[in-house]
Amino acid sequence: MVEYTYLVLRLPRGTTRDVARQIMTEHAEYGGWELDRLRLYPDGSRRIQLRRKIIRQVRTF
């Protein structure tokens, strides 16, 4: 079973789509995160949930 770790970003209203895209791109390129969910609220704020796999090392002898 694959396990994930999650990161939640909250962007205030007035944040442009380009700025939100840039923030998500930086997390994806440098942190290995991928988009899990994005919610745009009626007031214009955004909640972005990113995830990445937890890689567990298995001992081999």
Side-chain angles (χ1 to χ4, degrees):
M1 174 137 190
V2 179
E3 294 182 43
Y4 292 98
T5 182
Y6 294 91
L7 174 67
V8 176
L9 303 173
R10 296 181 192 274
L11 300 179
R13 81 180 240 204
T15 305
T16 64
R17 182 180 288 176
D18 289 335
V19 171
R21 179 187 48 80
Q22 183 179 8
I23 291 169
M24 289 188 293
T25 302
E26 289 174 1
H27 277 85
E29 286 183 4
Y30 302 115
W33 295 96
E34 62 184 27
L35 181 63
D36 185 47
R37 289 190 183 134
L38 187 139
R39 170 109 192 231
L40 179 60
Y41 291 98
D43 69 350
S45 63
R46 289 178 171 87
R47 180 179 179 268
I48 302 167
Q49 185 172 338
L50 304 172
R51 71 179 186 182
R52 67 177 168 191
K53 288 183 183 178
I54 298 174
I55 300 172
R56 305 241 186 245
Q57 293 185 357
V58 179
R59 285 184 153 175
T60 57
F61 285 64

